[in-house]
Amino acid sequence: MTDDAYLFLLDDASAQLGVSPAAVGELACMETPAVRAWLDAQGTTPASPHLRLLPPEETAAVPEGAERLPVPLSEEELSRLRHQMVPEPLARVEQELLAYRDCADGRDGLIGKALAAGVAPHRIVELTGVDPATVTTAASR
């Protein structure tokens, strides 16, 4: 597995793979000379519906033969990308987990709700900043 996210081009813009970089918001890598040169070489723009982005843990899904470019993302950019990758019901729960960072009231209930909804324990740790043991304890209740 790589530590970089990947920009890649899909032949079929209607395919449900990855997310449009524009959907993630501003990404510092999109302004780098390397990305600009790659986009120019591909004859495309950052707004192209064929341009997609996947986080490091999903890069094995990039179709073989697709034009691709590894790009580093900040932790905040990576979190936004991962948030865009999840289905809407999970996205709502993830938003609650992010909001949790500001309060601890009802922590175990919220973690239990997230686990029941299908949010992976490692993602809960990432979103809330709680210790992995806390998630394990909440899961056993």
Side-chain angles (χ1 to χ4, degrees), residues 3-39:
D3 291 329
D4 289 329
Y6 269 85
L7 280 173
F8 63 100
L9 291 172
L10 285 176
D11 292 333
D12 179 5
S14 66
Q16 299 296 314
L17 180 62
V19 297
S20 163
V24 180
E26 294 223 6
L27 297 169
C29 67
M30 296 302 287
E31 298 302 320
T32 64
V35 170
R36 286 184 191 191
W38 183 79
L39 291 171

Side-chain angles (χ1 to χ4, degrees), residues 42-123:
Q42 304 309 317
T44 193
T45 68
S48 170
H50 296 273
L51 185 64
R52 301 296 171 87
L53 184 63
L54 280 172
E57 64 275 7
E58 300 289 333
T59 56
V62 176
E64 193 169 318
E67 293 295 333
R68 64 182 89 201
L69 179 71
V71 292
L73 298 180
S74 70
E75 285 300 317
E76 191 269 331
E77 291 170 335
L78 194 52
S79 182
R80 289 191 326 238
L81 171 59
R82 288 176 175 143
H83 182 69
Q84 289 295 321
M85 296 285 301
V86 298
E88 184 56 33
L90 291 181
R92 283 193 296 264
V93 173
E94 284 195 357
Q95 281 302 114
E96 289 182 50
L97 289 167
L98 283 170
Y100 162 78
R101 289 181 179 190
D102 297 327
C103 72
D105 188 36
R107 175 193 71 196
D108 289 350
L110 179 57
I111 291 172
K113 179 179 175 181
L115 290 167
V119 178
H122 73 275
R123 185 73 172 133

